[in-house]
Amino acid sequence: MGKLFNRVRALLNFDASRKDISDSLRQVLSGLTSIVQGLSAMRNKMSDSHGTTYKPARHHAKLAVNCAMTLADFLFESKAYQQEKGLLRKSAPKN
């Protein structure tokens, strides 16, 4: 999941080291990486795909779902905005 997010981040120019963004936006963009890492770890420990080692409480499951929905919405809205403005690159560098 992290590798895919890094490719999306490159495509959408979400580099937290950019000089043209505010400190608060930089902090939020850095937080997106933390969310992806956390969701990935939760999936590995709590999902059926890897053998459940921990059953999340309802509030933990809601947190994961809401984080994923917010992240996905932000990514799709950012892509649409950048396409509309002609800012979107054609492809991301492969890592």
Side-chain angles (χ1 to χ4, degrees):
M1 209 160 113
K3 287 181 184 180
L4 289 174
F5 180 68
N6 286 336
R7 290 183 64 198
V8 169
R9 226 177 56 184
L11 277 169
L12 297 178
N13 199 23
F14 290 162
D15 184 3
S17 66
R18 287 178 36 197
K19 302 296 183 204
D20 64 327
I21 60 174
S22 68
D23 288 339
S24 55
L25 184 55
R26 181 176 293 112
Q27 187 175 11
V28 170
L29 291 176
S30 295
L32 294 178
T33 301
S34 294
I35 289 171
V36 169
Q37 290 170 345
L39 289 173
S40 182
M42 287 178 80
R43 178 188 179 277
N44 289 341
K45 290 185 181 265
M46 299 177 196
S47 76
D48 294 335
S49 62
H50 288 285
T52 305
T53 59
Y54 174 77
K55 181 161 174 51
R58 178 178 167 82
H59 63 285
H60 293 147
K62 286 178 72 172
L63 174 65
V65 168
N66 288 329
C67 283
M69 287 182 354
T70 299
L71 177 62
D73 183 58
F74 177 71
L75 294 176
F76 284 117
E77 290 289 330
S78 296
K79 179 182 180 275
Y81 173 83
Q82 289 188 28
Q83 281 178 321
E84 181 181 306
K85 299 290 184 183
L87 303 172
L88 197 60
R89 294 189 308 225
K90 294 294 181 194
S91 63
K94 299 228 177 183
N95 292 348

